[in-house]
Amino acid sequence: MQTVKIVVTGPFSAGKTAFIQTVSEIDVVETERKITNESEKIKETTTVAMDFGRITIDEDLVLYLFGTPGQRRFDFMWEILSEGMLGFIVLVDSTRPETFREARRILETFRAYAPTPYVVAANKQDLPEAWEPEDMRIALRLSPRVKLLPCVATDKESVKKVLLELLYSILEEINHD
Amino acid sequence: MALKGNLRDFSITQLLNLINLAHKTGLLRIRGPKSEAAAYFRQGKLAYAALSDQPNDLASLLYREKKLTAGQYRAIRAHHQRLSDTALGLLLVNAGYFTQGEILAVVQSAYVDVIKRLFTWVDGHFEFHSNAPFPKGRIPTRVSLENLIIEGSRQMREWELLQNEIPDLDMALKFADRPDVNLKHLNLSVEEWRVVSYINPKNTIRQIARATKMNDLEIRRIVYGLLQAGLVELVRPANKSMPKPIHTALEGKTKEDQRSLVNRLIARIRGL
Ligand SMILES: Nc1nc2c(ncn2[C@@H]2O[C@H](COP(=O)(O)OP(=O)(O)OP(=O)(O)O)[C@@H](O)[C@H]2O)c(=O)[nH]1
Ligand SMILES: [Mg+2]
């Protein structure tokens, strides 16, 4: 049995757990905890270790989706998480420009560790406050070459599309070098 | 869809950068702690700007710039109270008081001053209304934003912010591929030119700082300005290896096996 993994990262409350939950065949492994830090208390729970979802591909291949914790004090885990991954997805909450700077930092850190392909998903595009993906591209300083996809993490088709775009990028890279 | 937020999280220079690079047309409204600002942009260029706490009609601008005497100003206020800026401008040009260029220069410098004042705002809710109509009766200008952005960045003093914006001095810089920006039209300072002269994917920001004898704060501020003006991009230094390359899932497999694995993933996810 072979396993491969894709890492889902992004700032606090970007929708990483929701994203993984939407396509995982198991309940996302419970690593949530009530938020104690008042400043980050915009919701009740946060991911403190990592999320963990699974998609069985066939008899001898399993895909794991790993979600990183969004709070900054878990930075040390990134290196461990990204070991052996196929690629990664950076989720950004399109309604909260206050998290864009953090998203840029995450992008730069991950790119430094991982020579793997990645895509960026502009999440929560169903909300009226959402910024346009193309505005976010500039705010996040993404070059035109990087895929930036509109996303609704609670919608299965939308999550599938993001995963597929990442896989297409991985395929392109294989065919390229 | 929305383009709104607070200057605390997304600064004026970042907003101008966005408007500039996306060639946006529309009205930017900012509610600051003491007054409100409105600025209009056309295709990413500044076309109009005003603050709610100062008079911004043409007669007032000309008077403030000492282009009108107090008497002339009063006369205009008395007789042409209801004229729009464009109509008054036309009248003054036709009557031979000013050339069109003189009027435009005064208006342009007033709009630019408004933007410069905005650089001191650290708090304020902003909203950009795409494709809103141009403010009625105002005289439109076409001011490129790059110089304004660089000027705004020069005023940045927040060490923490600069550090967050440019966390890694071991990154390098390269010129962005933007045909519409011409370095010659930028009002760069001597220090900024020195930094620009070292830009090359082989030189890290740290090396540039050393070569130009700048401290971390100085180099970060200049790089930030160049980044925001859309002139440069951060890149991994050309000759630097990855800090600690991780192993990817595909290592050690033949291309055929790699392709087949990814294709299996694709087929399965499509069918979910
Ligand atoms: N409307 C809308 N809400 C979403 C979407 N994605 C996530 N949410 C909501 O946003 C909140 C945060 O989502 P989470 O999945 O907990 O985010 P996270 O990135 O795992 O958060 P941390 O683990 O704390 O960093 C939850 O209330 C989700 O239901 C979306 O696409 N649209
Ligand atoms: Mg989570």
Side-chain angles (χ1 to χ4, degrees), chain A residues 61-85:
Chain A
L61 182 59
V62 173
L63 169 66
Y64 286 112
L65 297 173
F66 280 73
T68 65
Q71 289 174 310
R72 223 175 144 148
R73 63 195 138 96
F74 297 103
D75 279 8
F76 68 92
M77 291 188 56
W78 289 356
E79 208 178 325
I80 305 167
L81 270 175
S82 50
E83 178 74 25
M85 72 182 169

Side-chain angles (χ1 to χ4, degrees), chain A residues 7 14-15 24 33 39 44 61 64 75 79 82 85 100 102 104-106 137-138 146 148 155 176-177:
Chain A
V7 170
S24 175
R33 199 179 67 191
S39 70
E44 283 304 311
L61 182 59
Y64 286 112
D75 279 8
E79 208 178 325
S82 50
M85 72 182 169
F100 293 174
E102 173 70 1
R104 275 208 305 267
R105 202 181 64 83
I106 293 174
R137 178 185 293 283
I138 295 171
V146 176
L148 173 67
D155 176 70
H176 222 78
D177 41 51

Side-chain angles (χ1 to χ4, degrees), chain A residues 10-19 32 35 43 45-48 51 68-71 91 93 123-127 151-155:
Chain A
F12 173 67
S13 201
K16 303 177 288 293
T17 302
F19 184 96
E32 303 263 305
I35 294 174
K43 55 174 194 162
T45 63
T46 186
T47 303
V48 290
D51 294 321
T68 65
Q71 289 174 310
L91 279 187
D93 184 339
N123 194 30
K124 309 194 189 182
Q125 283 288 318
D126 55 321
L127 297 175
C151 177
V152 178
T154 46
D155 176 70

Side-chain angles (χ1 to χ4, degrees), chain B residues 78-90:
Chain B
H79 300 293
H80 304 295
Q81 179 73 279
R82 280 199 302 272
L83 280 190
S84 68
D85 286 358
T86 41
L88 178 63
L90 207 59

Side-chain angles (χ1 to χ4, degrees), chain A residues 56 84 104 174-175 177, chain B residues 165 246-247 255 259 264 268:
Chain A
T56 305
R104 275 208 305 267
I174 296 172
N175 291 333
D177 41 51
Chain B
E165 289 295 334
I246 60 147
H247 303 284
K255 269 202 188 283
R259 259 194 293 271
R264 277 152 76 197
R268 173 76 176 100

